[in-house]
Amino acid sequence: MKELKQLCRENIWNLAPYSCARNEFSGRTARVFLDANENPYNDPYNRYPDPLQLELKKQLSKVKGVAEDKIFLGNGSDEAIDLVYRVFCRPGKDNVVAIAPTYGMYEVCADINDVEYRPVLLNEQFQTTADHLLAACDENTKVIWICSPNNPTGNLISPETIDGVLSRFDGIVVVDEAYSDFAKTRPYRLQLAKYPNLIVLNTMSKAWGCAAIRLGMAFASKQIIDIFNKVKYPYNINLLTQQQALEVLKDPYQVDDWVKTILQERGKVMAAFTDLPICEKVYPTEANFFLAKMTDATAIYNYLVNQGIIVRNRNNVQLCGNCLRITVGKKSENIDLLAALRQY
């Protein structure tokens, strides 16, 4: 890996961050707050939230097995994705490489930040190799994006590929593990010490059932997290989000039960899909969704919409022609979906 100073944009490396009122007395006890031009009434919502979410990170550290100073919290994972571009990629000069198809926000954020986006098409098994990804790189490639389990395909990218990229690429490698709670493999966030160029994304939106609170996570070296904290908006995680996340974290075993139930339902729904005359193939998955190739995905999607059932039409995505992406729901929702498809 190159020195972090070499990878980081020069203006970001030299940036003097905004010093918010709550940071200035951090670590000391206070009882009267007259520093932040807040309204003294309507406690606790009149006060700015903890800018570094220290209590929340403390609890997440216990659950995720990552040190508190190696955790960044964002307004969804999308904030962390955008920060990667803002920190490491010079607009109009640098480029990034990503597998394709994959999560669309990597490319959207590249376009917003005026960074060239280089997709590397997966094979028919939705896999690739480190050689293929590295072949798309040049001296201005700053980041390689790997989503695993991948969206929309649902499969894990092989560890040989990810390890090969991490070992051989001298820039930043982002492994997005939004769906890792549904997979059986060891998460890459536990390998930060081995790979200093690794950033791992995770979220409260999927297994934790908290999509509405918009809380994303990035795990990386302390040096990278320090830069993220320097660039982020001062109070990027509001009090209500922090409070709800802390409440959910009190009972991680509930999440384990949800995951177990979803995986059981996933097996049943996938098996039922294979018996549908309108389904040609069900692809393997390690996520809370699966990809199914249909006889006419668009027509079936429109039919389901008319039945009040919404799935995701991936027909126009590379390698996903005539495919629907099905999120595994509650048992009653899955029954409604299958009943409608049997009547198509």
Side-chain angles (χ1 to χ4, degrees):
M1 176 185 172
K2 292 179 180 177
E3 290 292 328
L4 194 57
K5 185 176 181 179
Q6 292 179 275
L7 292 173
C8 189
R9 290 169 56 187
E10 183 177 1
N11 64 306
I12 297 298
W13 185 263
N14 297 324
L15 177 69
Y18 174 76
S19 179
C20 62
R22 291 299 177 263
N23 273 338
E24 292 177 358
F25 78 92
S26 179
R28 295 187 294 275
T29 302
R31 61 184 181 83
V32 177
F33 295 94
L34 303 176
D35 57 336
N37 300 338
E38 299 157 326
N39 187 322
Y41 305 107
N42 196 36
D43 186 68
Y45 307 110
N46 57 326
R47 302 298 181 186
Y48 287 107
D50 177 2
L52 293 176
Q53 312 94 34
L54 296 179
E55 179 59 28
L56 180 51
K57 288 177 181 176
K58 181 179 180 180
Q59 298 306 315
L60 277 169
S61 176
K62 297 175 183 177
V63 173
K64 297 294 184 178
V66 178
E68 298 165 44
D69 60 3
K70 295 182 178 181
I71 302 174
F72 169 83
L73 299 181
N75 185 359
S77 297
D78 295 338
E79 181 178 1
I81 292 169
D82 186 58
L83 275 177
V84 169
Y85 286 101
R86 292 164 62 196
V87 167
F88 296 109
C89 299
R90 297 169 298 174
K93 295 182 179 180
D94 291 329
N95 66 75
V96 301
V97 168
I99 60 175
T102 195
Y103 181 45
M105 280 303 295
Y106 311 143
E107 184 170 10
V108 170
C109 285
D111 292 342
I112 290 171
N113 287 281
D114 191 23
V115 173
E116 181 189 356
Y117 185 84
R118 298 181 175 184
V120 175
L121 195 64
L122 298 174
N123 61 27
E124 292 183 354
Q125 288 73 45
F126 299 140
Q127 293 290 344
T128 188
T129 64
D131 286 341
H132 280 106
L133 290 170
L134 294 171
C137 301
D138 61 20
E139 66 275 8
N140 290 324
T141 304
K142 288 294 188 67
V143 181
I144 295 179
W145 297 93
I146 302 175
C147 186
S148 181
N150 190 27
N151 178 10
T153 60
N155 65 297
L156 288 161
I157 303 303
S158 72
E160 292 78 14
T161 295
I162 299 176
D163 292 343
V165 171
L166 283 165
S167 299
R168 297 163 57 191
F169 183 55
D170 61 6
I172 298 296
V173 180
V174 183
V175 178
D176 190 341
E177 295 188 327
Y179 302 96
S180 62
D181 292 299
F182 302 100
K184 301 179 182 67
T185 55
R186 184 171 184 257
Y188 270 87
R189 68 173 183 269
L190 301 179
Q191 300 192 52
L192 294 177
K194 183 177 180 181
Y195 299 115
N197 59 334
L198 172 63
I199 299 174
V200 177
L201 303 182
N202 203 212
T203 178
M204 296 287 284
S205 295
K206 310 304 179 185
W208 290 84
C210 287
I213 71 172
R214 307 306 303 128
L215 185 65
M217 293 160 263
F219 307 104
S221 68
K222 181 182 182 302
Q223 291 75 20
I224 291 175
I225 297 302
D226 287 345
I227 297 172
F228 277 19
N229 286 330
K230 184 167 71 168
V231 176
K232 77 173 183 70
Y233 292 123
Y235 303 104
N236 62 323
I237 307 297
N238 69 71
L239 175 64
L240 297 176
T241 291
Q242 293 187 47
Q243 289 177 332
Q244 183 58 32
L246 284 167
E247 186 64 28
V248 173
L249 286 166
K250 290 179 182 178
D251 190 9
Y253 297 108
Q254 175 65 73
V255 177
D256 292 340
D257 289 341
W258 288 340
V259 169
K260 182 178 178 180
T261 301
I262 289 170
L263 294 181
Q264 289 173 343
E265 282 296 305
R266 186 185 72 186
K268 295 176 184 177
V269 177
M270 291 176 69
F273 257 72
T274 61
D275 293 332
L276 291 172
I278 57 174
C279 178
E280 296 183 351
K281 183 175 182 178
V282 176
Y283 292 92
T285 183
E286 293 284 344
N288 66 329
F289 64 85
F290 63 92
L291 199 66
K293 186 171 184 179
M294 313 301 284
T295 53
D296 189 335
T298 299
I300 295 168
Y301 170 81
N302 291 332
Y303 162 77
L304 289 173
V305 169
N306 289 332
Q307 301 293 314
I309 299 171
I310 310 301
V311 297
R312 199 75 190 270
N313 186 0
R314 301 285 76 187
N315 183 49
N316 294 324
V317 174
Q318 288 177 299
L319 301 180
C320 299
N322 266 331
C323 285
L324 298 178
R325 194 190 70 190
I326 312 297
T327 304
V328 179
K330 294 180 180 177
K331 183 177 181 178
S332 59
E333 295 171 320
N334 300 330
I335 288 173
D336 286 347
L337 168 65
L338 292 169
L341 290 174
R342 287 171 180 138
Q343 296 176 33
Y344 178 77

